[in-house]
């Protein structure tokens, strides 16, 4: 069976699917206070349409699917959708990225439906600061969600912290300490340029190496060499004697575009071959005009062949994406 391989010989094995542009938070670096203009409901792909794209992608070599949003857990029927996804033969891994606000309610049913693991986006452990950055006072619910996800058997449970200088870099070591007593994987992600209200300031981006050095200045770190489940682009370490681990992700300072294996499906039915490229291939029309699987397949292959070598964040020609993060799904 032909595989999804791009013009740089990178095989696509990982599909990120955004199932909604809606969210129950209003994070500063993701969307404006009033939220983003939501797409008309009928422009959002129906679950059966998403499942058709997922089935074809798996037939052509995709083995891992991550469900994202907006906030995926606010979309009705998400548990049944995960159940349907887990029925796809050849799909080895299903994960979800959530803000964790309602995770404690969904963890056990999602696990039962076939979800393997979860990433929770969390950028502050300080109640007031969390409330400020998310425009929602839900820190307690998120922390409870993390424990419930672990109790439900989702593995690994990961925390994604986007480190922003002058905002939360004073919490780096506190986040690392979580991995001492909890079997969570705490991942530190460099601050990336997205289309936001206050814009991106390179000065606020702290490199993954600097973040690791800050932690190593206070805690005893040891590298983890083997490639764990869903390790992705993270460089992995653990605090000596700790239950969990740390991951350092450097899309800005040491990008991993050369090994990129991912495609994204947006909630409104576009295939996006690169996070930072606005080149998109529309699938929705073909999904709704009675086209056969071969047409959808050709559109998938076309998108893969248009996949750029990598992002241009560090080049003068770089321009921010037209879409906000909530309309891409990270
Ligand atoms: S920036 Fe684009 S090419 Fe690079 S890793 Fe991300 S999606 Fe892949």
């Amino acid at each position: 069976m032909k595989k999804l391989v791009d013009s740089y010989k990178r095989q696509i094995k990982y599909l990120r699917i955004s199932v909604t542009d809606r969210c129950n938070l209003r994070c500063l670096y993701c969307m404006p206070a009033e939220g983003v203009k939501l797409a008309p409901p009928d422009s959002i792909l129906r679950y059966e349409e998403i499942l058709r794209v997922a089935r074809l992608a798996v037939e052509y070599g995709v083995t891992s699917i991550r469900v994202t949003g907006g906030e995926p857990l606010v979309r009705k029927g998400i548990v049944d959708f995960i159940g349907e996804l887990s029925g796809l033969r050849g799909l080895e891994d299903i994960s979800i990225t959530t803000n964790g606000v309602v995770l404690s309610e969904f963890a056990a049913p999602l696990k039962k439906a076939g979800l393997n693991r979860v990433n929770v986006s969390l950028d502050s452990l300080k109640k007031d600061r969390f409330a400020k950055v998310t425009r929602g006072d839900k820190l307690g619910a998120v922390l409870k969600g993390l424990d419930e996800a672990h109790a439900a058997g989702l593995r690994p449970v990961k925390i994604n912290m986007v480190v922003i200088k002058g905002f939360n870099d004073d919490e780096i070591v506190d986040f690392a300490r979580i991995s001492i007593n909890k079997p969570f994987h705490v991942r530190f992600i460099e601050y990336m340029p997205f289309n936001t209200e206050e814009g991106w300031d390179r000065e606020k981006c702290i490199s993954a190496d600097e973040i690791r050095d800050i932690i190593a200045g206070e805690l005893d770190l040891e590298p983890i060499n083997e490639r764990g489940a869903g390790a992705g682009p993270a460089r992995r370490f653990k605090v000596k004697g700790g239950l969990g681990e740390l991951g350092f992700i450097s899309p800005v300072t040491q990008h991993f575009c050369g090994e990129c294996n991912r495609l994204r499906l947006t909630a409104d039915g576009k295939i996006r071959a690169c996070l930072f490229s606005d080149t998109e291939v529309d699938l929705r029309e073909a999904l709704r005009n009675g086209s056969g699987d071969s047409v959808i397949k050709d559109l998938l292959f076309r998108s893969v062949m248009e996949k750029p070598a990598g992002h241009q964040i560090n080049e003068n020609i770089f321009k921010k994406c037209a879409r906000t993060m909530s309309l891409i799904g990270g």
Side-chain angles (χ1 to χ4, degrees):
M1 176 69 81
K2 201 171 161 212
K3 302 289 182 195
L4 292 166
V5 178
D6 73 8
S7 56
Y8 302 95
K9 307 259 177 300
R10 298 171 294 187
Q11 185 187 349
I12 303 301
K13 290 185 166 187
Y14 178 25
L15 176 63
R16 297 174 66 105
I17 299 177
S18 167
V19 294
T20 182
D21 56 352
R22 293 165 193 264
C23 188
N24 48 4
L25 289 177
R26 292 279 175 276
C27 299
L28 285 178
Y29 61 83
C30 183
M31 61 167 88
E34 69 280 7
V36 289
K37 190 169 173 311
L38 295 173
D42 62 358
S43 72
I44 299 294
L45 292 190
R46 296 186 286 274
Y47 281 134
E48 62 270 19
E49 293 170 328
I50 302 174
L51 281 165
R52 186 175 174 205
V53 176
R55 171 176 57 77
L56 290 170
V58 170
E59 278 175 25
Y60 293 102
V62 163
T63 54
S64 178
I65 287 181
R66 173 174 297 281
V67 176
T68 68
E71 169 50 42
L73 299 184
V74 301
R75 183 163 175 181
K76 238 159 117 284
I78 189 71
V79 174
D80 293 342
F81 170 66
I82 296 289
E84 300 261 3
L85 264 186
S86 69
L88 292 178
R89 238 151 40 80
L91 185 57
E92 296 163 8
D93 175 56
I94 306 174
S95 56
I96 210 165
T97 297
T98 169
N99 60 29
V101 169
V102 293
L103 180 56
S104 54
E105 188 191 324
F106 281 88
L110 286 169
K111 171 65 181 170
K112 197 152 167 268
L115 186 72
N116 301 104
R117 52 199 180 91
V118 61
N119 288 37
V120 175
S121 308
L122 179 61
D123 300 316
S124 181
L125 298 170
K126 296 178 188 300
K127 200 168 178 307
D128 56 347
R129 190 179 280 173
F130 179 94
K132 180 167 172 264
V133 71
T134 64
R135 300 185 182 110
D137 188 12
K138 300 285 185 188
L139 179 59
V142 175
L143 298 177
K144 185 163 179 281
L146 286 163
D147 290 333
E148 293 294 331
H150 183 73
L154 295 169
R155 295 289 184 279
V157 172
K158 297 185 179 180
I159 297 172
N160 286 0
M161 180 198 188
V162 174
V163 179
I164 305 173
K165 188 181 272 182
F167 169 67
N168 60 0
D169 52 323
D170 60 345
E171 295 186 64
I172 289 171
V173 178
D174 294 340
F175 270 81
R177 286 190 196 288
I178 294 173
S179 75
I180 297 174
N181 303 318
K182 300 250 183 186
F184 298 155
H185 294 197
V186 181
R187 295 144 39 102
F188 300 92
I189 304 171
E190 291 177 346
Y191 180 40
M192 291 180 275
F194 274 103
N195 192 351
T196 59
E197 218 171 15
E198 82 276 358
W200 183 66
D201 174 355
R202 182 180 284 279
E203 294 308 306
K204 291 185 179 169
C205 175
I206 303 179
S207 77
D209 286 351
E210 278 172 84
I211 297 169
R212 194 195 56 230
D213 294 348
I214 290 168
I215 298 168
E218 298 205 27
L219 301 171
D220 204 352
L221 291 187
E222 48 194 28
I224 300 173
N225 299 318
E226 84 272 0
R227 309 266 320 136
R235 276 165 292 137
R236 303 163 63 213
F237 290 76
K238 67 180 292 123
V239 178
K240 216 168 189 162
L243 297 177
E245 63 175 74
L246 308 178
F248 299 92
I249 300 175
S250 53
V252 177
T253 60
Q254 289 169 63
H255 68 69
F256 30 84
C257 301
E259 303 104 47
C260 182
N261 64 354
R262 60 197 67 190
L263 273 187
R264 290 170 170 82
L265 176 65
T266 64
D268 58 355
K270 307 285 192 303
I271 282 284
R272 201 178 166 91
C274 172
L275 180 57
F276 289 104
S277 158
D278 284 327
T279 306
E280 297 180 337
V281 172
D282 177 44
L283 295 189
R284 190 180 64 215
E285 195 192 332
L287 287 165
R288 294 183 177 177
N289 67 10
S291 297
D293 282 353
S294 61
V295 174
I296 312 290
K297 184 192 85 175
D298 290 348
L299 292 169
L300 280 174
F301 276 93
R302 197 182 98 207
S303 167
V304 169
M305 292 323 288
E306 291 171 357
K307 187 174 171 72
H311 66 60
Q312 297 160 324
I313 295 173
N314 303 313
E315 292 153 46
N316 299 339
I317 52 168
F318 176 70
K319 65 177 184 41
K320 264 180 279 171
C321 321
R323 285 180 188 253
T324 60
M325 174 72 110
S326 66
L327 296 176
I328 300 172

